[in-house]
């Protein structure tokens, strides 16, 4: 029995040593040519407004090459105190998401605003909000509603 095991072991060693695997050449990786950087110049001030049933909403903003937004927003709604303030946020595709910092009745507040850009207009989004850390934000931006009655149309910016 010992001879059979010894012979089997020798045969296995010979077979394994004879069967050397040839190394497979590594696939050649050719880099894509570098893409030209897209340089997006700021579009300048963009102005939008809505005048409906005595309510006036006015928005002016600028978008830089990093899709950062800054501007001014004001609400003059019938039966409510006028409030106006600054807008700082970002463009995410066709959606403007920003913090609106304003003073109303002598109190400074921050509220998140969302506008959907569609066919040269901006439609303000609304939905459930939460108040945390002195800032009002939307609970779930995916559930926002964009109603045509909240549409701001493009207007000439004041000089």
């Amino acid at each position: 029995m010992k001879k059979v095991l010894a012979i089997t072991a020798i045969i296995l060693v010979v077979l394994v040593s004879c069967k050397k695997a040839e190394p497979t050449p590594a696939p050649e990786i050719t880099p894509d040519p570098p893409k030209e950087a897209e340089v997006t110049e700021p579009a300048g001030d963009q102005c939008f407004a809505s005048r409906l049933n005595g309510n006036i909403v006015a928005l002016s903003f600028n978008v830089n090459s990093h899709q950062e937004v800054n501007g001014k927003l004001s609400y003059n709604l019938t039966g409510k105190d006028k409030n106006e303030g600054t807008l700082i946020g970002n463009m995410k595709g066709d959606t403007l998401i920003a913090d609106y910092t304003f003073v109303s009745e002598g109190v400074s507040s921050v509220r998140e605003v969302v506008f959907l850009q569609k066919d040269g207009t901006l439609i303000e989004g609304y939905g459930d909000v939460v108040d945390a850390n002195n800032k009002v934000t939307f609970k779930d931006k995916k559930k926002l509603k964009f109603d045509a009655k909240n549409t701001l149309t493009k207007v000439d910016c004041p000089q």
Side-chain angles (χ1 to χ4, degrees):
M1 185 71 157
K2 288 184 180 182
K3 286 184 182 180
V4 173
L5 283 175
I7 292 173
T8 305
I10 292 172
I11 291 173
L12 283 175
V13 170
V14 170
L15 287 175
V16 171
S17 65
C18 289
K19 200 175 191 182
K20 285 189 179 178
E22 292 188 27
T24 57
E28 286 188 37
I29 299 173
T30 55
D32 291 335
K35 294 180 181 177
E36 285 191 37
E38 290 183 32
V39 178
T40 307
E41 289 299 317
D45 284 340
Q46 300 179 51
C47 297
F48 293 84
S50 169
R51 289 175 176 75
L52 183 64
N53 299 329
N55 297 322
I56 300 171
V57 179
L59 168 63
S60 65
F61 64 92
N62 190 304
V63 181
N64 70 17
S65 60
H66 300 288
Q67 299 302 299
E68 297 167 334
V69 174
N70 64 56
K72 296 180 188 279
L73 177 61
S74 69
Y75 292 91
N76 192 356
L77 307 176
T78 306
K80 295 190 177 188
D81 284 345
K82 178 179 180 179
N83 61 61
E84 55 189 3
T86 60
L87 194 73
I88 298 174
N90 293 291
M91 287 299 296
K92 305 234 186 241
D94 60 356
T95 307
L96 166 60
I97 302 171
D99 287 341
Y100 171 49
T101 305
F102 62 98
V103 175
S104 180
E105 297 180 9
V107 178
S108 180
S109 303
V110 180
R111 177 172 67 91
E112 183 176 47
V113 293
V114 176
F115 291 91
L116 177 65
Q117 203 167 23
K118 186 173 182 180
D119 300 326
T121 65
L122 290 176
I123 305 168
E124 187 169 7
Y126 62 95
D128 293 335
V129 295
V130 292
D131 189 351
N133 300 324
N134 296 324
K135 179 179 174 183
V136 176
T137 59
F138 291 109
K139 277 186 184 178
D140 187 354
K141 288 184 205 53
K142 294 177 184 170
K143 293 183 179 179
L144 290 179
K145 294 179 177 79
F146 296 90
D147 191 343
K149 69 180 181 179
N150 298 328
T151 301
L152 282 70
T153 55
K154 197 164 185 82
V155 295
D156 291 333
C157 292
Q159 296 296 328

